[in-house]
Amino acid sequence: MKGKCLSARNPAVHILQLPPEILSEIIRYLSPAEKSNVRATCNQFKDLVDQPALWQKSTIVLRFTTNFNEAFWGVLQKRKVTSVVLKGFRVQQWKKFLRFMPDLHTLTILDAILSEKAVQGLRQLKSLQKLHMENCMALSKSNFQEAICCLDLTHLHLCGVTLSTELIHISRLQNLQALSLHTLTKPLPHNMLEDILLHLPNLRELSLACLNSKETLLDPKLSDVDPRGNSPGAPMLQLCSLALQNTGYRLLLDAPHRLPVLRTLTVCNTEPMTWMPLLTPSQLAWSSSVWSEPASQTLTSSLCRVGLCY
């Protein structure tokens, strides 16, 4: 009787008696940190936690200030992790990363100074679909542009990039569905942007920003452009989402004709916005303190969400 009471007070005995399928389903809802804690309890949970099916939707954050051993990389390879965030950079760790995780689908690199050889290593990630790089020193180098053009990316996010003519090579990413270009001091020239968009027929999401620019929405360069959107030869875009910060406003001039399926528009500016030719008075009613001269021309009827800020 005493033994039965002790058994009843020990939940681990009962948990381990559950079918593996149920245990796996429970573990599926845990965070990566919680999974690691469960894994450390016993060999049975270790095998369960390392199942690839439990890591399909997980993103692992790696700080390259830590030295990871071969066993660590082996565990990630066994789990078939497909999404990773890298913070910092070390050459030896980068080499191991590429060797053990060649089937990565999503990669985010933050605050790293990448050498030319390190950048070329991106070519080894043949299955990579989504690449996010923020505050990385290699973004202005031509070797980086060459490396990403060898990949079959569907999503590309570059934040903190120094404006370079090499950015034009992004137009070679024919399967790109989402693109973010956030430059530091100079906005992307409109003719370069148009050339990139012309060669990306599958693009559905576009985010443009000039992080340190003071360009206002009333851009003097647009004074000669017909506000009714009459730009001869401008191709139609299939964008569903458009976000602009201190740059790219010229795209809005052609919105009724070029953005027929646009559903979400976000516009941010460092200065108070005083000119917007496309929104109706009813759309501007809730933001009258921001806009002073709404025109009669409207955006496409598909638009269902507008965000304005300065």
Side-chain angles (χ1 to χ4, degrees), residues 102-121:
D103 299 324
L104 210 62
H105 291 170
T106 304
L107 174 61
T108 300
I109 304 178
L110 306 176
D111 305 318
I113 301 177
L114 304 178
S115 65
E116 182 175 349
K117 290 184 178 180
V119 171
Q120 293 303 318

Side-chain angles (χ1 to χ4, degrees), residues 59-75:
T59 297
I60 304 300
V61 179
L62 301 178
R63 292 173 175 82
F64 269 8
T65 53
T66 304
N67 287 318
F68 302 111
N69 56 28
E70 297 281 332
F72 172 83
W73 293 111
V75 169

Side-chain angles (χ1 to χ4, degrees), residues 4 7 52 75-76 94 98 141 144 191 203 212 246 284 291 298:
K4 292 183 178 180
S7 176
V75 169
L76 291 188
W94 176 247
L98 294 174
K141 298 181 179 180
F144 170 75
N191 59 342
L203 195 66
N212 298 321
N246 301 327
L284 293 168
W291 306 99
T298 62

Side-chain angles (χ1 to χ4, degrees), residues 121-129 131 146-154 172-175:
L122 289 171
R123 295 170 177 260
Q124 300 179 37
L125 304 176
K126 301 297 184 182
S127 300
L128 194 64
Q129 298 175 0
L131 178 61
E146 295 172 0
I148 64 171
C149 289
C150 294
L151 303 173
D152 191 20
L153 296 177
T154 59
R172 292 161 56 185
L173 299 173
Q174 296 292 311
N175 294 322

Side-chain angles (χ1 to χ4, degrees), residues 12 25 29 39 49 57-58 61-62 72 80 82 100 114 119 162 194 202 210 227 244 252 263 306-307:
E25 189 62 26
Y29 291 93
R39 183 180 185 274
V49 169
K57 298 181 179 180
S58 296
V61 179
L62 301 178
F72 172 83
K80 297 184 179 180
T82 60
F100 284 98
L114 304 178
V119 171
T162 301
E194 287 289 355
N202 298 314
C210 189
L244 304 174
L252 297 178
R263 296 182 59 82
V306 180

Side-chain angles (χ1 to χ4, degrees), residues 180-200:
S180 297
L181 286 177
H182 297 175
T183 57
L184 286 175
T185 56
K186 295 182 179 180
L188 196 68
H190 185 71
N191 59 342
M192 183 184 295
L193 174 62
E194 287 289 355
D195 192 74
I196 291 175
L197 296 178
L198 179 65
H199 293 88
L200 300 178

